[in-house]
Amino acid sequence: MGWFSKEEDNEYHPIDRSSRRQCWDSRDEFFECLDKIDVINPLDPSQQNKIKQNCQKQEAKFHSSCAESWIKYFKEKRVVDYKKEKFLKEMEQQNATRIELSPEQALGGAKGGSN
Amino acid sequence: MFRTQVSRVVPSCLRRPAGVKSFQWNRYVSCGRRLYDQDESEKLKRKPLSRIPIGGSEQSASQRVTSDSIEFSTWKAAALFIVVGGGLYYFFSKEKKRLETEKEAEANRGYGKPVVGGPFNLVDENGEKFTDENLLGKWSILYFGFTHCPDICPDELDKLGVWLDALKKKHGIELQPIFVTCDPARDSPKVMKEYLKDFHPSLKGLTGSYDEVKSACKQYRVYFSTPPHVKPGQDYLVDHSIFFYLMDPEGQFVEAMGRNYDEKSGVDKIAEHLKSYVPKEEREKRKGKWYSFLFE
């Protein structure tokens, strides 16, 4: 399971750089495997069998390298990122210009630059 | 510039009518002018164009500037134009940028009352008191986050480290970087100290009681969603705003910088703000340069 089950003193320790790296790498490996089997949402119940069959090893490593809350966050984020990317691609096909709104511009009116 | 041979040039009214012999010619000085002497030829150099016969003649042809001198003067004028024009362009575009940045900072300072920022009472990673007064006298950059942050906070804090090094190396600027936790339940000073080891050595980490952190976040208009009562060891994430807040030596808010600033553009933006910063007394004395109307 996550790190907190390993903690004996129950005291919270922040996650250090190497543990973060380890978690991110296992996440990338798992998501790469999901890409191969065309699964977007790892939380989708109808895909669970497919994931178990093909990416069980990667998923187990991901789960053992990251905290519970991070696992949930990254899995949900994958869907959001996919939708965002798809939306941007569609917009690009329609020759839309991307406007990056920085906070002061959002407050002070539209003065966006293309990106 | 007009290198001409004008000694033989005479006004059209003095021109010898056809068929008149030279000895009679002097009597035809009827348009009230003296005949030009050889030594007066210098004056002819400044003869107005209106007195050069239209259509040209053999005399006026000699008044035309030679092609050599045209090239010479054009080249000179072009060089002058480029130097003066380029210089002015450089000066005004630089001034425009400076005034814009100054205006932006002025707008964010608000009028009298700061929109973002204000008094807070927290403790740093060594357990020492840290309040808004610690912002006075130096430029600070604040970031709100939490140590259990999965990806954005560590990325942003790494980016901050790159900014800080580049600002010092390229511009000789040193900021006071501050990381404020939005998760006081887990992030004790001890946890903060442990977490900050991975980041820039000058980074300070602030925490406090739930109410104090909540109040500090409110001052900075930071949204966060830490539950007030969490069980020890409970695993949760905190939703929070992700901006860097640049604060001037008066402790006033200058700008909120989002993720749209990368490792390079962030450095430029901060350096711009520091360069265009004018201390309060001077700011009030001076309403603007005489040419600031150009950029209105």
Side-chain angles (χ1 to χ4, degrees):
Chain A
M1 288 287 280
W3 287 331
F4 300 101
S5 51
K6 289 176 206 158
E7 305 274 344
E8 282 167 17
D9 53 359
N10 226 355
E11 198 183 327
Y12 169 75
H13 289 280
I15 293 152
D16 65 11
R17 190 178 291 276
S18 64
S19 309
R20 253 196 316 271
R21 183 84 267 158
Q22 217 178 327
C23 168
W24 293 351
D25 287 345
S26 70
R27 170 202 63 187
D28 292 344
E29 272 171 47
F30 175 52
F31 285 179
E32 217 172 277
C33 181
L34 293 182
D35 285 342
K36 277 183 201 155
I37 56 168
D38 289 322
V39 172
I40 305 304
N41 186 359
L43 297 166
D44 185 353
S46 66
Q47 304 280 0
Q48 291 311 310
N49 274 339
K50 204 176 170 184
I51 295 170
K52 269 220 168 76
Q53 275 168 23
N54 299 286
C55 305
Q56 197 179 16
K57 211 180 94 195
Q58 287 89 339
E59 191 175 25
K61 198 181 165 199
F62 176 47
H63 281 235
S64 67
S65 316
C66 301
E68 280 299 320
S69 56
W70 290 29
I71 295 165
K72 187 170 166 270
Y73 167 81
F74 285 133
K75 283 181 174 176
E76 284 168 359
K77 190 168 181 272
R78 177 176 160 88
V79 182
V80 174
D81 285 349
Y82 172 78
K83 281 184 181 158
K84 190 177 164 191
E85 200 181 317
K86 201 178 139 201
F87 172 77
L88 287 175
K89 249 183 210 159
E90 272 170 27
M91 287 294 112
E92 209 170 289
Q93 275 165 5
Q94 294 169 25
N95 289 324
T97 310
R98 192 168 164 188
I99 292 171
E100 197 77 60
L101 280 178
S102 67
E104 80 274 11
Q105 286 162 350
L107 292 169
K111 196 185 115 191
S114 64
N115 199 333
Chain B
M1 264 190 223
F2 291 82
R3 279 197 288 117
T4 52
Q5 295 150 356
V6 284
S7 57
R8 281 178 287 115
V9 175
V10 285
S12 56
C13 67
L14 297 182
R15 233 181 286 145
R16 187 193 326 179
V20 177
K21 283 177 185 162
S22 60
F23 73 91
Q24 293 174 302
W25 185 37
N26 284 350
R27 293 175 196 164
Y28 281 87
V29 187
S30 54
C31 51
R33 290 191 175 100
R34 284 189 302 127
L35 192 64
Y36 289 87
D37 291 328
Q38 195 79 0
D39 58 351
E40 276 186 316
S41 63
E42 281 296 310
K43 284 181 184 171
L44 283 167
K45 284 183 179 177
R46 277 176 230 116
K47 191 169 71 166
L49 284 169
S50 60
R51 284 169 60 192
I52 300 170
I54 292 166
S57 61
E58 55 175 356
Q59 287 104 332
S60 67
S62 65
Q63 267 205 316
R64 269 186 223 129
V65 276
T66 64
S67 63
D68 271 1
S69 56
I70 285 179
E71 267 174 28
F72 179 68
S73 64
T74 311
W75 177 84
K76 243 182 167 174
L80 189 72
F81 175 77
I82 289 167
V83 169
V84 173
L88 283 173
Y89 179 78
Y90 174 75
F91 175 74
F92 277 106
S93 48
K94 214 180 143 186
E95 276 298 286
K96 186 181 179 190
K97 185 106 184 149
R98 194 186 63 79
L99 285 167
E100 271 173 4
T101 313
E102 202 178 298
K103 215 189 271 177
E104 195 177 278
E106 187 58 47
N108 283 343
R109 260 181 213 112
Y111 295 92
K113 196 169 161 254
V115 189
V116 177
F120 59 82
N121 190 7
L122 299 170
V123 285
D124 69 10
E125 73 280 5
N126 298 316
E128 278 160 35
K129 198 175 152 180
F130 195 104
T131 70
D132 50 298
E133 282 176 19
N134 293 74
L135 301 181
L136 301 177
K138 53 196 137 189
W139 285 83
S140 305
I141 190 159
L142 274 81
Y143 186 75
F144 291 80
F146 63 115
T147 64
H148 197 52
C149 183
D151 53 356
I152 295 169
C153 316
D155 274 352
E156 291 289 275
L157 290 177
D158 279 338
K159 188 171 81 180
L160 176 64
V162 175
W163 286 356
L164 294 170
D165 287 339
L167 280 167
K168 194 175 176 186
K169 205 173 155 200
K170 261 170 77 181
H171 303 278
I173 294 169
E174 273 189 76
L175 299 181
Q176 172 175 243
I178 300 161
F179 176 63
V180 186
T181 184
C182 298
D183 184 12
R186 268 188 305 212
D187 294 344
S188 63
K190 195 181 149 204
V191 170
M192 291 297 269
K193 194 165 186 165
E194 205 176 327
Y195 183 70
L196 293 178
K197 274 183 204 158
D198 282 341
F199 301 99
H200 198 273
S202 66
L203 191 60
K204 291 213 82 69
L206 305 188
T207 185
S209 70
Y210 180 82
D211 288 335
E212 277 164 348
V213 169
K214 195 179 173 181
S215 150
C217 287
K218 203 176 167 188
Q219 300 280 8
Y220 282 84
R221 306 290 188 268
V222 172
Y223 158 82
F224 80 107
S225 65
T226 303
H229 303 291
V230 285
K231 289 173 217 124
Q234 189 180 330
D235 186 18
Y236 58 90
L237 296 183
V238 178
D239 211 1
H240 64 95
S241 316
I242 39 169
F243 293 121
F244 286 104
Y245 295 85
L246 186 64
M247 309 297 286
D248 72 17
E250 293 152 38
Q252 300 279 299
F253 168 69
V254 177
E255 200 185 339
M257 296 168 70
R259 295 188 77 195
N260 50 332
Y261 288 101
D262 62 20
E263 294 187 347
K264 204 191 159 292
S265 62
V267 173
D268 297 342
K269 189 76 200 174
I270 294 170
E272 241 167 62
H273 271 302
L274 265 76
K275 275 175 193 158
S276 61
Y277 172 71
V278 185
K280 198 178 178 183
E281 318 86 68
E282 220 176 300
R283 211 160 59 224
E284 275 164 5
K285 248 188 270 165
R286 187 181 83 177
K287 283 291 169 195
K289 292 256 170 84
W290 59 270
Y291 48 78
S292 51
F293 73 92
L294 287 170
F295 310 121
E296 288 298 319

CSV table of all heavy atoms in Angstrom, one decimal, chain A residues 42-77:
chain,number,residue,atom,x,y,z
A,42,PRO,N,-7.9,5.1,-16.0
A,42,PRO,CA,-7.5,3.9,-15.2
A,42,PRO,C,-8.5,3.6,-14.1
A,42,PRO,O,-8.5,2.5,-13.5
A,42,PRO,CB,-6.2,4.2,-14.7
A,42,PRO,CG,-6.0,5.7,-14.8
A,42,PRO,CD,-7.0,6.2,-15.8
A,43,LEU,N,-9.5,4.5,-13.8
A,43,LEU,CA,-10.4,4.3,-12.8
A,43,LEU,C,-11.8,3.8,-13.4
A,43,LEU,O,-12.7,3.5,-12.6
A,43,LEU,CB,-10.7,5.6,-12.0
A,43,LEU,CG,-9.5,6.2,-11.3
A,43,LEU,CD1,-9.8,7.6,-10.8
A,43,LEU,CD2,-9.2,5.3,-10.1
A,44,ASP,N,-11.8,3.6,-14.7
A,44,ASP,CA,-13.1,3.2,-15.3
A,44,ASP,C,-13.3,1.7,-15.0
A,44,ASP,O,-12.5,0.8,-15.3
A,44,ASP,CB,-12.9,3.4,-16.8
A,44,ASP,CG,-14.1,3.0,-17.6
A,44,ASP,OD1,-15.1,2.5,-17.0
A,44,ASP,OD2,-14.2,3.3,-18.8
A,45,PRO,N,-14.4,1.4,-14.3
A,45,PRO,CA,-14.6,0.0,-13.9
A,45,PRO,C,-14.7,-1.0,-15.1
A,45,PRO,O,-14.2,-2.2,-14.9
A,45,PRO,CB,-16.0,0.0,-13.2
A,45,PRO,CG,-16.3,1.5,-12.9
A,45,PRO,CD,-15.5,2.3,-13.9
A,46,SER,N,-15.2,-0.6,-16.2
A,46,SER,CA,-15.3,-1.5,-17.3
A,46,SER,C,-13.9,-1.9,-17.9
A,46,SER,O,-13.8,-2.8,-18.7
A,46,SER,CB,-16.2,-0.9,-18.4
A,46,SER,OG,-15.6,0.3,-19.0
A,47,GLN,N,-12.9,-1.1,-17.6
A,47,GLN,CA,-11.6,-1.4,-18.1
A,47,GLN,C,-10.7,-2.2,-17.2
A,47,GLN,O,-9.5,-2.5,-17.5
A,47,GLN,CB,-10.8,0.0,-18.5
A,47,GLN,CG,-11.6,0.9,-19.4
A,47,GLN,CD,-11.5,0.5,-20.9
A,47,GLN,OE1,-10.8,-0.5,-21.2
A,47,GLN,NE2,-12.1,1.2,-21.7
A,48,GLN,N,-11.2,-2.5,-16.0
A,48,GLN,CA,-10.3,-3.0,-15.0
A,48,GLN,C,-9.7,-4.4,-15.4
A,48,GLN,O,-8.6,-4.7,-15.1
A,48,GLN,CB,-11.1,-3.2,-13.6
A,48,GLN,CG,-11.4,-1.9,-12.9
A,48,GLN,CD,-10.2,-0.9,-12.8
A,48,GLN,OE1,-9.2,-1.3,-12.4
A,48,GLN,NE2,-10.4,0.3,-13.3
A,49,ASN,N,-10.5,-5.2,-16.0
A,49,ASN,CA,-10.0,-6.5,-16.5
A,49,ASN,C,-8.9,-6.4,-17.5
A,49,ASN,O,-7.9,-7.1,-17.4
A,49,ASN,CB,-11.1,-7.4,-17.1
A,49,ASN,CG,-11.9,-8.1,-16.0
A,49,ASN,OD1,-11.4,-8.3,-14.9
A,49,ASN,ND2,-13.1,-8.5,-16.3
A,50,LYS,N,-9.1,-5.5,-18.4
A,50,LYS,CA,-8.1,-5.2,-19.4
A,50,LYS,C,-6.8,-4.7,-18.8
A,50,LYS,O,-5.7,-5.1,-19.2
A,50,LYS,CB,-8.6,-4.1,-20.4
A,50,LYS,CG,-8.0,-4.1,-21.8
A,50,LYS,CD,-8.7,-3.1,-22.6
A,50,LYS,CE,-8.0,-2.9,-23.9
A,50,LYS,NZ,-8.6,-1.8,-24.7
A,51,ILE,N,-6.9,-3.8,-17.8
A,51,ILE,CA,-5.7,-3.3,-17.1
A,51,ILE,C,-5.0,-4.4,-16.4
A,51,ILE,O,-3.8,-4.5,-16.4
A,51,ILE,CB,-6.1,-2.1,-16.2
A,51,ILE,CG1,-6.7,-0.9,-17.0
A,51,ILE,CG2,-4.9,-1.7,-15.3
A,51,ILE,CD1,-7.3,0.1,-16.1
A,52,LYS,N,-5.8,-5.2,-15.7
A,52,LYS,CA,-5.2,-6.3,-14.9
A,52,LYS,C,-4.4,-7.3,-15.8
A,52,LYS,O,-3.3,-7.8,-15.5
A,52,LYS,CB,-6.3,-7.1,-14.2
A,52,LYS,CG,-6.6,-6.6,-12.8
A,52,LYS,CD,-6.8,-7.7,-11.8
A,52,LYS,CE,-6.8,-7.1,-10.4
A,52,LYS,NZ,-8.0,-6.4,-10.1
A,53,GLN,N,-5.0,-7.6,-16.9
A,53,GLN,CA,-4.4,-8.5,-17.9
A,53,GLN,C,-3.1,-8.0,-18.4
A,53,GLN,O,-2.1,-8.8,-18.6
A,53,GLN,CB,-5.3,-8.8,-19.0
A,53,GLN,CG,-6.3,-10.0,-18.7
A,53,GLN,CD,-7.4,-10.0,-19.7
A,53,GLN,OE1,-7.2,-9.6,-20.9
A,53,GLN,NE2,-8.6,-10.6,-19.4
A,54,ASN,N,-3.1,-6.7,-18.8
A,54,ASN,CA,-1.9,-6.2,-19.5
A,54,ASN,C,-0.9,-5.4,-18.6
A,54,ASN,O,0.3,-5.4,-19.0
A,54,ASN,CB,-2.4,-5.3,-20.6
A,54,ASN,CG,-3.2,-6.1,-21.6
A,54,ASN,OD1,-2.7,-6.9,-22.4
A,54,ASN,ND2,-4.5,-5.9,-21.6
A,55,CYS,N,-1.4,-4.7,-17.6
A,55,CYS,CA,-0.5,-3.7,-16.9
A,55,CYS,C,-0.5,-4.0,-15.4
A,55,CYS,O,-0.2,-3.1,-14.7
A,55,CYS,CB,-1.0,-2.3,-17.2
A,55,CYS,SG,-1.1,-1.9,-18.9
A,56,GLN,N,-0.7,-5.2,-15.0
A,56,GLN,CA,-0.8,-5.5,-13.6
A,56,GLN,C,0.5,-5.2,-12.9
A,56,GLN,O,0.6,-4.6,-11.8
A,56,GLN,CB,-1.1,-7.0,-13.4
A,56,GLN,CG,-1.6,-7.2,-12.0
A,56,GLN,CD,-2.0,-8.7,-11.7
A,56,GLN,OE1,-1.7,-9.6,-12.5
A,56,GLN,NE2,-2.7,-8.9,-10.7
A,57,LYS,N,1.6,-5.6,-13.5
A,57,LYS,CA,3.0,-5.3,-12.9
A,57,LYS,C,3.2,-3.9,-12.7
A,57,LYS,O,3.6,-3.4,-11.7
A,57,LYS,CB,4.0,-5.9,-13.9
A,57,LYS,CG,5.2,-6.5,-13.1
A,57,LYS,CD,6.2,-7.0,-14.1
A,57,LYS,CE,7.3,-6.0,-14.5
A,57,LYS,NZ,8.1,-6.4,-15.7
A,58,GLN,N,3.0,-3.1,-13.8
A,58,GLN,CA,3.2,-1.6,-13.7
A,58,GLN,C,2.3,-1.0,-12.7
A,58,GLN,O,2.7,-0.1,-12.0
A,58,GLN,CB,3.0,-1.0,-15.1
A,58,GLN,CG,4.0,-1.3,-16.1
A,58,GLN,CD,3.7,-2.6,-16.9
A,58,GLN,OE1,3.0,-3.4,-16.5
A,58,GLN,NE2,4.3,-2.7,-18.1
A,59,GLU,N,1.1,-1.5,-12.7
A,59,GLU,CA,0.1,-0.8,-11.7
A,59,GLU,C,0.6,-1.1,-10.3
A,59,GLU,O,0.5,-0.2,-9.4
A,59,GLU,CB,-1.3,-1.3,-11.9
A,59,GLU,CG,-2.3,-0.4,-11.1
A,59,GLU,CD,-3.8,-0.8,-11.4
A,59,GLU,OE1,-4.1,-1.9,-11.8
A,59,GLU,OE2,-4.6,0.1,-11.2
A,60,ALA,N,1.0,-2.3,-10.0
A,60,ALA,CA,1.4,-2.7,-8.7
A,60,ALA,C,2.6,-1.9,-8.3
A,60,ALA,O,2.7,-1.4,-7.1
A,60,ALA,CB,1.8,-4.2,-8.7
A,61,LYS,N,3.6,-1.6,-9.2
A,61,LYS,CA,4.7,-0.8,-8.9
A,61,LYS,C,4.3,0.6,-8.6
A,61,LYS,O,4.8,1.3,-7.7
A,61,LYS,CB,5.7,-0.9,-10.1
A,61,LYS,CG,7.1,-0.4,-9.7
A,61,LYS,CD,8.0,-0.5,-10.9
A,61,LYS,CE,9.3,0.3,-10.5
A,61,LYS,NZ,10.0,0.7,-11.7
A,62,PHE,N,3.4,1.1,-9.4
A,62,PHE,CA,2.9,2.5,-9.2
A,62,PHE,C,2.3,2.6,-7.8
A,62,PHE,O,2.6,3.6,-7.1
A,62,PHE,CB,1.9,2.8,-10.3
A,62,PHE,CG,1.2,4.1,-10.3
A,62,PHE,CD1,1.9,5.3,-10.0
A,62,PHE,CD2,-0.2,4.2,-10.4
A,62,PHE,CE1,1.2,6.5,-10.0
A,62,PHE,CE2,-0.9,5.4,-10.4
A,62,PHE,CZ,-0.1,6.6,-10.2
A,63,HIS,N,1.5,1.6,-7.5
A,63,HIS,CA,0.8,1.7,-6.2
A,63,HIS,C,1.8,1.6,-5.0
A,63,HIS,O,1.5,2.2,-3.9
A,63,HIS,CB,-0.3,0.6,-6.1
A,63,HIS,CG,-1.5,0.9,-6.8
A,63,HIS,ND1,-2.8,1.0,-6.2
A,63,HIS,CD2,-1.7,1.3,-8.1
A,63,HIS,CE1,-3.7,1.3,-7.1
A,63,HIS,NE2,-3.1,1.6,-8.3
A,64,SER,N,2.8,0.8,-5.2
A,64,SER,CA,3.8,0.7,-4.1
A,64,SER,C,4.7,1.9,-4.0
A,64,SER,O,5.4,2.1,-2.9
A,64,SER,CB,4.6,-0.6,-4.2
A,64,SER,OG,5.4,-0.5,-5.3
A,65,SER,N,4.9,2.7,-5.1
A,65,SER,CA,5.8,3.8,-5.0
A,65,SER,C,5.2,5.1,-4.7
A,65,SER,O,5.9,6.1,-4.4
A,65,SER,CB,6.5,3.9,-6.4
A,65,SER,OG,6.9,2.7,-6.9
A,66,CYS,N,3.9,5.2,-4.7
A,66,CYS,CA,3.3,6.5,-4.4
A,66,CYS,C,2.3,6.4,-3.3
A,66,CYS,O,1.7,5.4,-3.0
A,66,CYS,CB,2.5,7.0,-5.7
A,66,CYS,SG,3.5,7.1,-7.1
A,67,ALA,N,2.0,7.6,-2.7
A,67,ALA,CA,1.0,7.7,-1.6
A,67,ALA,C,-0.4,7.5,-2.2
A,67,ALA,O,-0.6,7.9,-3.4
A,67,ALA,CB,1.1,9.0,-0.9
A,68,GLU,N,-1.3,7.0,-1.4
A,68,GLU,CA,-2.7,6.8,-1.9
A,68,GLU,C,-3.3,8.0,-2.6
A,68,GLU,O,-3.8,8.0,-3.7
A,68,GLU,CB,-3.6,6.5,-0.7
A,68,GLU,CG,-3.5,5.0,-0.2
A,68,GLU,CD,-3.9,4.0,-1.3
A,68,GLU,OE1,-4.9,4.3,-2.0
A,68,GLU,OE2,-3.3,3.0,-1.4
A,69,SER,N,-3.1,9.2,-1.9
A,69,SER,CA,-3.7,10.4,-2.5
A,69,SER,C,-3.1,10.8,-3.8
A,69,SER,O,-3.8,11.3,-4.7
A,69,SER,CB,-3.6,11.5,-1.5
A,69,SER,OG,-2.2,11.7,-1.1
A,70,TRP,N,-1.8,10.5,-3.9
A,70,TRP,CA,-1.2,10.8,-5.2
A,70,TRP,C,-1.7,9.9,-6.3
A,70,TRP,O,-1.8,10.4,-7.5
A,70,TRP,CB,0.3,10.6,-5.1
A,70,TRP,CG,1.0,11.7,-4.2
A,70,TRP,CD1,0.4,12.3,-3.2
A,70,TRP,CD2,2.3,12.2,-4.3
A,70,TRP,NE1,1.4,13.2,-2.6
A,70,TRP,CE2,2.5,13.1,-3.3
A,70,TRP,CE3,3.4,11.9,-5.2
A,70,TRP,CZ2,3.7,13.8,-3.1
A,70,TRP,CZ3,4.6,12.5,-5.0
A,70,TRP,CH2,4.8,13.5,-4.0
A,71,ILE,N,-1.9,8.6,-6.0
A,71,ILE,CA,-2.3,7.7,-7.0
A,71,ILE,C,-3.7,8.1,-7.6
A,71,ILE,O,-3.9,8.2,-8.8
A,71,ILE,CB,-2.4,6.3,-6.4
A,71,ILE,CG1,-1.1,5.7,-6.0
A,71,ILE,CG2,-3.1,5.3,-7.3
A,71,ILE,CD1,-1.1,4.6,-5.0
A,72,LYS,N,-4.6,8.5,-6.6
A,72,LYS,CA,-5.9,8.9,-7.1
A,72,LYS,C,-5.7,10.2,-7.9
A,72,LYS,O,-6.4,10.4,-9.0
A,72,LYS,CB,-6.7,9.2,-5.8
A,72,LYS,CG,-8.2,9.5,-6.1
A,72,LYS,CD,-9.0,9.5,-4.8
A,72,LYS,CE,-10.3,10.2,-5.0
A,72,LYS,NZ,-10.4,11.6,-4.8
A,73,TYR,N,-4.9,11.1,-7.4
A,73,TYR,CA,-4.7,12.4,-8.1
A,73,TYR,C,-4.2,12.2,-9.5
A,73,TYR,O,-4.7,12.8,-10.5
A,73,TYR,CB,-3.7,13.3,-7.3
A,73,TYR,CG,-3.2,14.5,-8.0
A,73,TYR,CD1,-3.9,15.7,-8.1
A,73,TYR,CD2,-1.9,14.5,-8.6
A,73,TYR,CE1,-3.4,16.8,-8.7
A,73,TYR,CE2,-1.4,15.6,-9.2
A,73,TYR,CZ,-2.1,16.7,-9.3
A,73,TYR,OH,-1.6,17.8,-9.9
A,74,PHE,N,-3.1,11.4,-9.7
A,74,PHE,CA,-2.5,11.1,-11.0
A,74,PHE,C,-3.5,10.4,-11.9
A,74,PHE,O,-3.5,10.7,-13.1
A,74,PHE,CB,-1.2,10.3,-10.8
A,74,PHE,CG,-0.1,11.1,-10.3
A,74,PHE,CD1,0.7,10.7,-9.3
A,74,PHE,CD2,0.2,12.4,-10.8
A,74,PHE,CE1,1.8,11.4,-8.8
A,74,PHE,CE2,1.3,13.2,-10.3
A,74,PHE,CZ,2.1,12.7,-9.3
A,75,LYS,N,-4.3,9.5,-11.4
A,75,LYS,CA,-5.2,8.8,-12.3
A,75,LYS,C,-6.3,9.7,-12.8
A,75,LYS,O,-6.7,9.7,-13.9
A,75,LYS,CB,-5.8,7.6,-11.5
A,75,LYS,CG,-4.9,6.4,-11.4
A,75,LYS,CD,-5.5,5.2,-10.7
A,75,LYS,CE,-4.6,4.0,-10.7
A,75,LYS,NZ,-5.2,2.9,-9.9
A,76,GLU,N,-6.8,10.6,-11.9
A,76,GLU,CA,-7.8,11.5,-12.3
A,76,GLU,C,-7.2,12.6,-13.3
A,76,GLU,O,-7.8,13.0,-14.2
A,76,GLU,CB,-8.4,12.3,-11.1
A,76,GLU,CG,-9.4,11.4,-10.4
A,76,GLU,CD,-9.8,11.9,-9.0
A,76,GLU,OE1,-9.2,13.0,-8.6
A,76,GLU,OE2,-10.6,11.3,-8.3
A,77,LYS,N,-5.9,12.9,-13.0
A,77,LYS,CA,-5.3,14.0,-13.8
A,77,LYS,C,-5.1,13.5,-15.2
A,77,LYS,O,-5.1,14.2,-16.2
A,77,LYS,CB,-3.9,14.3,-13.2
A,77,LYS,CG,-3.3,15.5,-13.8
A,77,LYS,CD,-2.1,16.0,-12.9
A,77,LYS,CE,-1.4,17.2,-13.5
A,77,LYS,NZ,-0.4,16.9,-14.5
